[in-house]
Amino acid sequence: MNDTPTVLHAPHGLVDTELPLGRAPYEALVTAVLAWQDPDLTPGDYEQIALQLAGHARALAADVQRHAAALPKDDGRGALADVILREAAGRLSQPTQSTARCAQDRARLVRALYERLAAAPVNRAV
């Protein structure tokens, strides 16, 4: 198995298959982006960070959707996942901007999706 992290950028949301995503680099990126106080990056840097986070968020949303679909209909975690997925779809439908605010919004979305995944059942075959 390859332990190399997979970096995604899927501006049209075409990535919806299970891929081996490198979680640790994205968690580190989310932590760093959310800790920004007064970053001094170029607009292109902000845009690249936001694009990386958006691509990862799309892949995570697809994973959350798969896990939520496996829950019983009366399980409250499914309803919460639906709320998070609707919010994710709304945020990801907005164009990427070359700003720190946009990158931080995408980082918050990735964090929320990881929280949903942590609460979802794991039904992966080994």
Side-chain angles (χ1 to χ4, degrees):
M1 175 175 245
N2 186 351
D3 289 335
T4 304
T6 301
V7 178
L8 299 175
H9 170 60
H12 303 294
L14 300 177
V15 175
D16 66 352
T17 59
E18 290 188 48
L19 297 173
L21 300 175
R23 183 172 178 159
Y26 282 100
E27 287 178 327
L29 179 59
V30 165
T31 299
V33 169
L34 293 178
W36 285 345
Q37 293 298 317
D38 188 18
D40 186 25
L41 302 176
T42 68
D45 290 337
Y46 292 127
E47 183 177 24
Q48 286 303 306
I49 292 167
L51 289 171
Q52 290 294 323
L53 291 169
H56 194 67
R58 283 185 177 89
L60 285 174
D63 208 15
V64 169
Q65 178 62 45
R66 277 190 294 280
H67 287 289
L71 293 170
K73 296 291 181 201
D74 61 345
D75 192 315
R77 294 176 298 173
L80 185 53
D82 287 342
V83 169
I84 297 294
L85 290 169
R86 279 193 303 274
E87 184 167 332
R91 287 189 196 181
L92 292 170
S93 70
Q94 300 299 314
T96 301
Q97 299 176 4
S98 301
T99 64
R101 180 182 171 138
C102 181
Q104 288 178 318
D105 285 346
R106 303 293 163 108
R108 281 188 282 278
L109 176 58
V110 168
R111 183 179 59 190
L113 290 166
Y114 270 130
E115 288 171 358
R116 272 305 88 217
L117 271 180
V122 178
N123 294 332
R124 293 192 175 137
V126 280

